[in-house]
Amino acid sequence: MSSTASGKNGTWRNWGGNVSARPVRQVAPASVEELTAAVRRAREDGLKVKAVGTGHSFTSIAATDGVLIRPQLLTGIRGIDRESMTVTVEAGTPLKRLNAALAREGLSLANMGDIMEQTVSGAVSTGTHGTGRESGSIAAQIRGLELVTADGSVLTCSAEGTEEERALFAAARIGLGALGIVTAITFAVEPLFLLTAREEPMPLDRVLAEFDQLWAENEHFEFYWFPHTDSTNTKRNNRSAGPERPVGRLAGWFEDEFLSNGVFQAVQWAGRAVPATVPGIARISSRALSARTYTDIPFKVFTSPRRVRFVEMEYAVPRAALVETLRELRTMVDRSGLRVSFPVEVRTAPADDITLSTASGRDSAYIAVHMFRGTPYQAYFTAAERIFTAHEGRPHWGKVHTRDAEYLSRVYPRFGEFTALRDRLDPERLFQNDYLRRVLGA
């Protein structure tokens, strides 16, 4: 899958197709030394600097008209430490390659999101997460970081360092590209294990009534609700003693490629062309999925291919507010006359100690709303955002939202810590762009 596109005159576009930029120059450094030289040169030329991975963010978090750093040559594993059970990896390494390399070494991350096209630095910098009762986002699994700051210095930090390093570690794990350019990440890993996935259709009212129980009984619980229906597809992932029972090649192709990508793509085209057909199509789509169980290594269970392009908004609300928030969302869709052809995805994460994590200091539930690429999404997202913000929702940093620093400083208790650190590390705002100006303030 081509995640980013560059057009004439060096135009850069994101995966969703809703953000583009025309940087003065694009640089692909092959070493940390080359990256520091590129940062220093940009500063001398009076140009802003942003790093971009595979462009999976739907916000303009990586867009710049200055110097765009492409980290595709900063890839690979620097080292594996089996004593501390950590792996140090270059920032531009795609999650797909990291997962495969770890599996070959008999190792795995504890948890991950549902796509693995992103670079490790792009994924952690925007707060990419999966779902978990006890295990948090990808950034929550970081044990150490290396980054190049605005003056060209290379800083390292971890939870074990000096007070200054610990403050940097708390913030830089989800740094939004505002504190510097991440060059390497050290993750906690564990011996490779097996997960058994149980996917099962379930009425929405039952899922909401039993949500606390479903969450408590499963290590990783998530579900998709199909708007205009009372249908969901639930997924429960739990560690397993085995044996491995991967999805059969034919069944896997039918569910993951034919239904989830092929037929789904055709359905989206039909819904975009004739919006009135969407509720009927949703009812048929929601009935097409059947229960299935399979057992495999983690990344093959956590992740799935995403070939149908879309635009997405996702908010984290307090986990205790999930059921009420989702009921309000359903009521809004039913009364609005909107035609929503994409399922709503619901996941959870435990509280963490990362300064600007969407789960910072509180157990969280994530509600993600999507629209097919090219379909008008503003009315739906605006109405959904009104509901999410009424519950002190925190927007995913890499997904569509309209919040600004004034709002975000109210829902993040440690917001001031982050901006103070940014003032110290980047007083001249070398890493500034329009998005960071809005969400962090000038």
Side-chain angles (χ1 to χ4, degrees):
M1 179 170 73
S2 169
S3 301
T4 54
S6 292
K8 289 178 183 174
N9 305 319
T11 300
W12 169 84
R13 286 187 183 83
N14 68 337
W15 181 85
N18 66 315
V19 177
S20 63
R22 291 186 62 178
V24 169
R25 60 178 176 259
Q26 300 191 34
V27 182
S31 65
V32 175
E33 291 73 27
E34 285 184 19
L35 174 58
T36 58
V39 168
R40 288 188 175 125
R41 186 184 161 204
R43 192 176 175 189
E44 287 164 9
D45 294 346
L47 296 171
K48 303 295 186 188
V49 182
K50 297 306 299 177
V52 67
T54 52
H56 265 80
S57 291
F58 300 98
T59 61
S60 55
I61 190 166
T64 185
D65 56 6
V67 177
L68 194 66
I69 304 288
R70 309 298 293 265
Q72 62 258 36
L73 301 179
L74 293 170
T75 61
I77 289 177
R78 279 192 190 177
I80 294 171
D81 185 335
R82 290 184 185 271
E83 197 175 320
S84 65
M85 288 302 282
T86 58
V87 59
T88 300
V89 62
E90 302 277 351
T93 308
L95 282 166
K96 181 182 276 184
R97 282 178 54 192
L98 173 62
N99 286 326
L102 287 175
R104 285 195 297 272
E105 296 286 341
L107 300 169
S108 177
L109 295 171
N111 197 0
M112 57 198 82
D114 57 9
I115 60 168
M116 54 177 180
E117 310 303 328
Q118 304 132 295
T119 60
V120 291
S121 56
V124 302
S125 295
T126 54
T128 296
H129 62 91
T131 191
R133 185 184 58 206
E134 278 114 22
S135 55
S137 68
I138 300 178
Q141 299 168 67
I142 294 176
R143 295 295 173 266
L145 271 177
E146 176 186 275
L147 73 163
V148 173
T149 57
D151 63 1
S153 304
V154 181
L155 299 184
T156 57
C157 59
S158 72
E160 277 72 57
T162 63
E163 189 177 338
E164 208 169 85
E165 286 171 355
R166 290 199 304 273
L168 178 60
F169 183 67
R173 279 176 286 169
I174 299 179
L176 317 185
L179 305 175
I181 296 175
V182 175
T183 48
I185 301 169
T186 299
F187 290 105
V189 290
E190 54 184 283
L192 192 65
F193 55 93
L194 292 174
L195 281 174
T196 293
R198 166 78 179 159
E199 296 177 10
E200 181 185 7
M202 201 179 283
L204 178 62
D205 286 332
R206 182 183 158 195
V207 173
L208 295 182
E210 299 177 12
F211 176 75
D212 287 341
Q213 183 183 346
L214 288 162
W215 171 83
E217 288 176 353
N218 295 284
E219 291 171 72
H220 310 273
F221 175 69
E222 64 186 299
F223 67 94
Y224 295 85
W225 165 56
F226 297 84
H228 312 295
T229 78
D230 187 40
S231 302
T232 76
N233 197 41
T234 63
K235 186 176 182 184
R236 289 170 267 194
N237 297 333
N238 291 287
R239 295 196 184 212
S240 167
E244 272 186 56
R245 284 203 182 88
V247 175
R249 189 165 291 177
L250 181 61
W253 175 84
F254 183 73
E255 288 272 352
D256 296 329
E257 290 300 335
F258 183 67
L259 286 182
S260 298
N261 287 301
V263 170
F264 191 56
Q265 176 87 53
V267 161
Q268 296 302 319
W269 281 331
R272 185 169 69 186
V274 189
T277 62
V278 166
I281 289 172
R283 287 189 285 275
I284 295 165
S285 300
S286 66
R287 287 198 292 266
L289 295 167
S290 54
R292 62 173 179 168
T293 302
Y294 51 96
T295 301
D296 213 328
I297 60 174
F299 81 85
K300 293 184 179 179
V301 173
F302 284 129
T303 67
S304 52
R306 287 277 187 276
R307 303 193 210 288
V308 180
R309 302 222 175 188
F310 52 83
V311 180
E312 180 179 1
M313 167 182 281
E314 183 182 63
Y315 267 75
V317 298
R319 200 184 71 234
L322 169 71
V323 171
E324 185 185 346
T325 308
L326 207 57
R327 285 192 172 124
E328 289 173 15
L329 187 68
R330 175 171 61 174
T331 300
M332 179 275 288
V333 170
D334 288 347
R335 290 178 179 169
S336 66
L338 290 166
R339 295 290 175 257
V340 180
S341 58
F342 241 90
V344 172
E345 183 181 23
V346 178
R347 296 174 289 175
T348 68
D352 64 39
D353 62 350
I354 303 170
T355 315
L356 288 188
S357 165
T358 43
S360 184
R362 74 182 189 194
D363 293 339
S364 299
Y366 296 91
I367 304 174
V369 297
H370 313 70
M371 283 294 253
F372 184 44
R373 180 171 162 175
T375 307
Y377 62 84
Q378 286 83 356
Y380 176 37
F381 284 13
T382 299
E385 190 172 43
R386 203 171 291 131
I387 292 166
F388 300 149
T389 54
H391 292 279
E392 297 192 333
R394 298 169 177 169
H396 188 300
W397 297 108
K399 297 176 185 178
V400 175
H401 70 93
T402 65
R403 299 299 90 187
D404 60 13
E406 186 190 358
Y407 173 86
L408 295 163
S409 66
R410 293 200 303 271
V411 295
Y412 281 97
R414 299 172 65 185
F415 189 84
E417 271 179 53
F418 189 95
T419 54
L421 183 63
R422 180 184 181 225
D423 287 342
R424 184 165 65 77
L425 289 177
D426 187 15
E428 294 169 23
R429 300 294 188 259
L430 182 72
F431 303 118
Q432 175 87 287
N433 65 3
D434 290 343
Y435 179 76
L436 293 184
R437 192 175 291 109
R438 170 162 69 88
V439 300
L440 295 176

